[in-house]
């Protein structure tokens, strides 16, 4: 797009046995109706989230979740979604 200033953003978080990476390329000024990012979450066992989120997840793993997510004026969009827990793939 002509006249737009594009900015790349990458956030990496590590903790509770998980690695989370968020990536986005957006133009300034940021619009809440045109925002997209990719997510990559990997870890050992699901039950590592129990205390953090006050839930009771089973001790299975490893797990990974990846995909592209977007907010548009029409709603939310998920692209190239992949979920794996143990040997199960979605």
């Amino acid at each position: 797009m002509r006249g737009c200033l594009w900015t790349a953003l990458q956030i990496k978080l590590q903790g509770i046995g998980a690695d989370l990476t968020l990536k986005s390329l957006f133009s300034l000024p940021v619009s809440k109706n045109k925002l997209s990012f990719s997510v990559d979450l990997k870890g050992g066992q699901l039950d590592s989230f129990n205390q953090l989120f006050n839930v009771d997840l089973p001790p299975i793993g490893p797990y990974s979740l990846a995909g592209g997510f977007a907010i548009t004026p029409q709603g939310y969009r998920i692209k190239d979604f992949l979920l794996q827990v143990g040997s199960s793939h979605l």
Side-chain angles (χ1 to χ4, degrees):
M1 205 184 263
R2 281 185 90 124
C4 288
L5 176 62
W6 290 92
T7 302
L9 175 69
Q10 179 171 308
I11 299 172
K12 289 188 176 193
L13 302 172
Q14 293 179 316
I16 63 167
D19 296 321
L20 173 65
T21 302
L22 300 170
K23 294 181 184 178
S24 183
L25 181 64
F26 55 91
S27 63
L28 297 175
V30 175
S31 169
K32 66 178 181 178
N33 292 326
K34 289 179 79 176
L35 184 63
S36 63
F37 57 94
S38 67
V39 173
D40 185 21
L41 174 66
K42 296 178 182 176
Q45 289 190 270
L46 288 176
D47 64 347
S48 64
F49 291 104
N50 286 351
Q51 187 174 2
L52 180 65
F53 295 115
N54 195 27
V55 295
D56 190 21
L57 297 171
I60 57 175
Y63 62 86
S64 63
L65 178 143
F69 299 87
I71 301 170
T72 68
Q74 293 77 32
Y76 300 98
R77 190 176 68 218
I78 300 173
K79 183 178 179 183
D80 300 326
F81 181 76
L82 175 63
L83 175 63
Q84 179 179 348
V85 179
S87 60
S88 298
H89 296 17
L90 173 66

